[in-house]
Structures are given as structure tokens and as C-alpha cells.
Amino acid sequence: MAHPEAIIAGAGVAGLAAAHWLTKAGWSVKVVEKASTFRFGGHLMGLSGPGFKALEHMGILDQLKPHARVASENICFDRSNREILRIRHSDLIGDTPFLVIRRSDLVESLAEVLGDRAEITFETSITSISSTDRKARVTLSDGGEIEADLLIGADGMRSQARQLMFPEVTAPVEHLGYRFVVFEVEFDAAPTRQLWSYVAPGHMAEIFGVTEKRALILLVWNTEETGKVSSAEVPDLLREEFDCVHPIINDLITRAEDQNELFVFDTLSMTVLPQWSRGRTVLLGDAAHALSLVSGQGAGMALTGAKILADALETVEMEEALRAYEERMRPAISSLQNRSRKLAKWYVPQSPWAFRRRNLMLKVIPKWLM
């Protein structure tokens, strides 16, 4: 009996996890990725609950633990270097199993555990899709054509596969009112046991040491702008935007520019769709339900969704499996997205009054949870 075949668009967290579970179940899997290699940029990821369990089921939790990044507390400073508040992470998570890792470490581990069980083709994307009752057919950017039992779109928040699958959905991405940038930089004073946050109305900058001399930087600011910004323009835009926060931030931006570091620039947004599958095609991870940095659950839900989809495909017919996958995932996703909308209103408040109120709440909330 021939093995069922799947095409996966995207070699990120969701795509690699889906390839892992499907090949384990006997599927023949081809992955296409438009980048020239695995995408190793990105911020820290917190994995708990279903996402943590998904890593346990995959058998790579022990492999990832040496890469875990532990910050005992988050210390927030203002422009004058005065401490505004201090939050102990143990007050927030208690004894909950929790793993904080860089996105690059997770992607590398997923690729390693997958090995050569799936065929991965880089610098290739899907340009057209057609689906029948029995097959999905795709045309690739290199001119090739592939037919498979299932196409999985796992190519991120701005999914090309989603656009081809649901051309009638004109606005699947919901902007939450912020932009963000993530980059790494050589930094001799990088904090290795603390997270430093420099904040001002409408702005937040986080510094976390990934080694003793290298830091990961997250910059978030309040804006309704969503247009494209060229890579060459990003450093100047950031320096102008964060001049109000603290001199150390602009210094780190300039250092990263001089060191030719990668700036990952995007909007804080969510993917919201009325359905995730059509015929022999289905969306997974951020392509289906991007949750934004506010939720802290994007990677975990991508890992969880990949396992749920693979389990459903192993037990029931295709149409029922895709329906079961969405019915199982959607309540949790809807809850997390509603939570993100509420939290976004005070994530990085723009007005001075709202900013002071948010800081006061953050001082008190951890004590409520103890």
C-alpha cells in the first residue's frame, strides 16, 4: 500500500513539527521553504502547558534544556536609570513546567530530530494551488508541479499558501497597534540572570543576555503604521523612535548595525480566519492563527496543532480529520486571541497616565498570584 503524501509550505516551527509527526506515522513528506536556509532569527519563546507537553512527546525536551534561558526577574528602568518596578518570574509561573528558549534553538532542534525523513527544498515557494476530493496539486516557483494527498500551509503570518487557498479573505491579519524589532548584538555588559526593560510611554525595550557577551534585544512601540520598511531604513527608524527611552538602546542599535546583525522587523498582529481548511488543504501555526507576542503562546500552539492534526489524520478520513483538528484547536485559539486584544490595550501604553497606571498594576499583580 502506497504511503500517503503531504506537501508542507514553510520550514518553521509548525512546518517542521508537522513533518516530524506525519513521517513518524508513515507519510511521505515534502517541505518547501522560500528562504535559502532555516530561519534562525527571532525572539525568546516561552513554552508551557500544551507546548511543553508537545516537546516531551517529540522526545526533544532534554535536548533543548541545555539551551534554556533563565531570568530570575525582570527589572524595569526609566530614561534616568531609575528602577520603576521589579517582577520575579517565580511569582508568575510558580511550579508550572516552563521552558524559555531562542526561536533559533527550537528550529535547529526540530530540524535535527526530523533529519532526512522529509525532503526539504529551500528557495522555493508555492505559486498556485488546486484541490479535488482526493488530491491537492501545487505549482512551485521553480516551475515544478506536485500532487499529494494533503497540502499544509505553515508559512507564517503572511502566508502565501493561505492567500492561494482563501483568495476571498482580503484582511486575515489583525493589527494590534504596535510594531516590534528583534535583534542580537555583542554586548559586554549583557545581563545573564535578569531581564532589563527600559520603558517610556508608548515604548518598551528589553535586553536579555544569551551569553555573557551577547544580548537579545526586543523593541516594541505603539503605532498604527503597518507599511513596509526596507532593511536599510530600519536602524535610523529605530534610533529616532527610541531616542526617548534610554541612551543604551540607541547605542545597541548602532552596534548591531555596525556588526551587520539581522533586524527582524514586524507588526504585532494576529491571523483571524473563519476556517482553516478547504478540500485537501489546511493551515497550521501562524498561517492559521498567529497569536502575537502578547499571548506568549504562538510556538506552543503551533507545536500542539501539529500533533493534533497528525493524530486526527491517523484515525479518521481526511475531511473528518481536518474538521476535528480545527474543532479541537479553535476554542483555545479564540480564547488566547481575545486575551491578546485585551492585554494589547495596556501592553505598552501610549499616554503618560495609562503608562503610570500599567506600571502600578504590574507591581501589584504578582503579589495577587502568590
Side-chain angles (χ1 to χ4, degrees):
M1 183 177 178
H3 294 294
E5 297 177 326
I7 307 164
I8 300 177
V13 173
L16 292 174
H20 168 80
W21 290 118
L22 289 179
T23 54
K24 282 281 189 180
W27 285 64
S28 175
V29 175
K30 296 180 180 179
V31 182
V32 294
E33 167 59 54
K34 67 180 181 180
S36 59
T37 185
F38 293 114
R39 299 176 189 230
F40 291 122
H43 194 41
L44 294 173
M45 294 177 164
L47 294 163
S48 61
F52 189 91
K53 290 180 180 177
L55 292 178
E56 284 186 314
H57 290 148
M58 293 180 83
I60 63 172
L61 189 58
D62 289 340
Q63 178 180 331
L64 284 168
K65 283 181 178 178
H67 300 288
R69 311 293 166 177
V70 180
S72 59
E73 56 188 355
N74 183 356
I75 309 174
C76 296
F77 303 94
D78 65 9
R79 181 176 175 81
S80 300
N81 228 41
R82 291 177 301 212
E83 184 177 318
I84 298 175
L85 60 96
R86 184 179 294 235
I87 301 173
R88 290 182 301 170
H89 289 169
S90 59
D91 292 347
L92 297 173
I93 63 175
D95 296 327
T96 303
F98 199 80
L99 185 71
V100 178
I101 54 175
R102 287 188 292 180
R103 181 186 179 280
S104 56
D105 292 328
L106 178 57
V107 169
E108 186 174 0
S109 292
L110 290 171
E112 185 176 328
V113 74
L114 177 61
D116 61 0
R117 286 185 285 119
E119 177 186 332
I120 302 178
T121 304
F122 294 100
E123 297 184 301
T124 306
S125 58
I126 293 173
T127 58
S128 72
I129 297 171
S130 63
S131 177
T132 67
D133 291 341
R134 306 303 302 173
K135 294 288 183 179
R137 295 187 179 93
V138 303
T139 303
L140 303 178
S141 55
D142 62 7
E145 295 184 354
I146 305 177
E147 184 178 82
D149 299 283
L150 180 65
L151 166 66
I152 300 175
D155 49 344
M157 185 173 67
R158 291 177 175 80
S159 168
Q160 186 173 351
R162 182 185 64 228
Q163 185 177 351
L164 294 169
M165 289 165 58
F166 299 102
E168 74 281 7
V169 179
T170 56
V173 177
E174 178 182 334
H175 180 46
L176 294 177
Y178 301 92
R179 274 178 160 166
F180 73 91
V181 166
V182 179
F183 62 93
E184 291 191 19
V185 63
E186 296 298 320
F187 181 38
D188 290 344
T192 55
R193 296 291 298 178
Q194 295 172 330
L195 175 67
W196 293 348
S197 295
Y198 291 88
V199 294
H203 299 77
M204 179 182 72
E206 291 185 347
I207 305 174
F208 184 72
V210 292
T211 69
E212 291 184 356
K213 294 188 177 183
R214 190 165 179 82
L216 183 65
I217 316 297
L218 169 67
L219 307 179
V220 182
W221 66 102
N222 196 294
T223 179
E224 293 302 320
E225 293 289 333
T226 60
K228 291 184 178 180
V229 177
S230 70
S231 300
E233 295 175 300
V234 169
D236 285 339
L237 183 153
L238 294 178
R239 279 187 287 265
E240 180 179 354
E241 192 66 50
F242 280 82
D243 188 56
C244 64
V245 178
H246 191 282
I248 194 175
I249 305 305
N250 277 1
D251 177 57
L252 291 172
I253 294 167
T254 299
R255 288 191 195 190
E257 182 182 23
D258 293 342
Q259 295 167 14
N260 293 316
E261 299 286 354
L262 172 67
F263 290 89
V264 178
F265 183 103
D266 212 334
T267 60
L268 208 63
S269 305
M270 301 188 301
T271 309
V272 183
L273 292 169
Q275 67 187 83
W276 298 341
S277 66
R278 173 171 286 172
R280 289 277 173 152
T281 65
V282 65
L283 296 172
L284 182 67
D286 284 355
H289 49 67
L291 294 170
S292 84
L293 289 173
V294 180
S295 75
Q297 294 288 335
M301 287 297 99
L303 293 166
T304 302
K307 182 69 165 67
I308 289 174
L309 175 60
D311 286 347
L313 289 167
E314 197 169 1
T315 56
V316 295
E317 292 298 318
M318 181 73 68
E319 183 178 351
E320 186 179 349
L322 300 185
R323 183 169 59 249
Y325 151 71
E326 184 166 345
E327 288 176 352
R328 178 90 178 272
M329 288 290 295
R330 191 173 281 277
I333 295 301
S334 296
S335 176
L336 287 168
Q337 289 188 332
N338 287 334
R339 179 172 174 266
S340 290
R341 290 185 185 97
K342 294 175 182 177
L343 291 175
K345 296 177 182 178
W346 61 277
Y347 183 47
V348 187
Q350 191 167 22
S351 74
W353 178 84
F355 177 72
R356 289 193 295 271
R357 180 171 176 265
R358 192 286 304 263
N359 293 340
L360 178 61
M361 289 176 64
L362 288 175
K363 286 182 179 180
V364 176
I365 285 175
K367 296 179 181 178
W368 292 347
L369 298 177
M370 289 180 65

